[in-house]
Amino acid sequence: MNANTPKPIQHYLQFSDLSAAEYAHLFERAAVIKKKFKAYEKYQPLADRTMAMIFEKASTRTRVSFEAGMYQMGGSVVHLTTEGSQLGRAEPIADSAKVISRMVDLVMIRTYGQDKIAEFAAHSRVPVINGLTNEFHPCQILADIFTFIEQRGSIKGKVVAWVGDGNNMANTWLQAAEILGFIVHVSTPSGYGIDQSVVGLRSNDSYKVFKDPMEACRGAHLVTTDVWTSMGYEAENEARKMVFADWCVDTEMMKLAAPDALFMHCLPAHRGEEVEAEVIDGPQSVVWDEAENRMHAQKALMEYLLLGCVA
Ligand code: CP
Ligand code: NVA
């Protein structure tokens, strides 16, 4: 490829779309980009680039982190919602993708089924980033692992305890474990476990299933959880509250984890449900760094998807 050849389109639809070497590059770039941000150093490699952000579900962090990140890098964003666009009036996804991707350089989508984002990407002229689907939340795990590395160094060989729903976050942690070489201890109520056909692992070596959430936390270097009811599943909320009652990360669970274990939650959190206030607001919790790091990690991701490896 010579200097004038455009970079081939690379989408980020699930964590397994990138290799361990590409993640090493992203974590390094995220640290550099974060340092520049903290020093008020202008860094605008995406001047004149535009990103469309399509939200079919609510968001605080994903919207702010992508939007602020894109502006800081010199670009701009167009914000679309289902209700406010023709997406909510049954325009085919393929048609929307063809049109939108002729006018922007990058697309971020938060939607329901992974099939929808895959269909959009198949018809897009520009890279598409998954800002959360029912199945995956790769940008969140990118930020979470960047946060772990900042606090504790490499995640390779470490144990991450997942306590709660076998949801988009859990699926993404499992993909990350296989690529980056760590182990996930998964504990979910029965009936809410991981759907292996969704995660698509090459082997089962990178995770262990525990009936008892306390046992999942034993020796873990990171304990993490998420809401009992994800967006799109609200009708199940009351039933889930009963089934998930024992899957609340509390101080007893944190005591069983490694002495220097971290606690993470992608947020928004429900104190008294999936996590006790003492844990999320306690000394082992890094949830605020985790949230902030969405922006730094995604800036590295946008830079990589649009410009390739920038030294
Ligand atoms: N963690 C996360 O994706 O938050 P939002 O739903 O606020 O974007
Ligand atoms: N699992 C949650 C994550 C929210 C950021 C959801 O999908 O609603």
Side-chain angles (χ1 to χ4, degrees), residues 57 110 132 137 167-169 226-227 229-231 266-268:
K57 290 175 176 172
R110 167 167 288 197
L132 182 145
H137 198 1
N167 64 10
N168 43 11
M169 284 289 296
D226 186 12
V227 291
T229 305
S230 286
M231 291 180 280
C266 65
L267 305 177

Side-chain angles (χ1 to χ4, degrees), residues 59-200:
S59 168
T60 296
R61 279 144 289 268
T62 303
R63 176 162 181 192
V64 176
S65 56
F66 269 111
E67 194 159 334
M70 192 60 175
Y71 286 133
Q72 288 160 20
M73 294 180 99
S76 52
V77 300
V78 177
H79 180 251
L80 291 164
T81 60
T82 316
E83 308 77 42
S85 70
Q86 301 291 4
L87 291 160
R89 300 178 70 248
E91 179 165 13
I93 292 173
D95 292 2
S96 304
K98 285 177 195 165
V99 171
I100 293 168
S101 69
R102 278 179 179 239
M103 301 183 211
V104 301
D105 302 279
L106 189 60
V107 180
M108 190 286 316
I109 306 180
R110 167 167 288 197
T111 188
Y112 292 87
Q114 185 74 12
D115 54 326
K116 290 180 87 174
I117 199 169
E119 166 84 355
F120 193 105
H123 296 277
S124 173
R125 285 183 165 192
V126 301
V128 175
I129 297 174
N130 182 347
L132 182 145
T133 55
N134 291 347
E135 289 83 356
F136 298 113
H137 198 1
C139 293
Q140 182 68 56
I141 303 302
L142 179 70
D144 292 3
I145 295 173
F146 174 58
T147 307
F148 187 91
I149 293 168
E150 272 189 328
Q151 301 274 343
R152 298 283 183 266
S154 172
I155 198 165
K156 198 170 181 164
K158 296 290 195 304
V159 173
V160 174
W162 176 265
V163 175
D165 192 17
N167 64 10
N168 43 11
M169 284 289 296
N171 291 340
T172 312
W173 271 114
L174 291 192
Q175 285 197 344
E178 182 158 82
I179 294 164
L180 300 178
F182 60 92
I183 305 284
V184 185
H185 287 182
V186 182
S187 181
T188 71
S190 107
Y192 296 90
I194 300 291
D195 181 345
Q196 297 194 23
S197 67
V198 170
V199 184

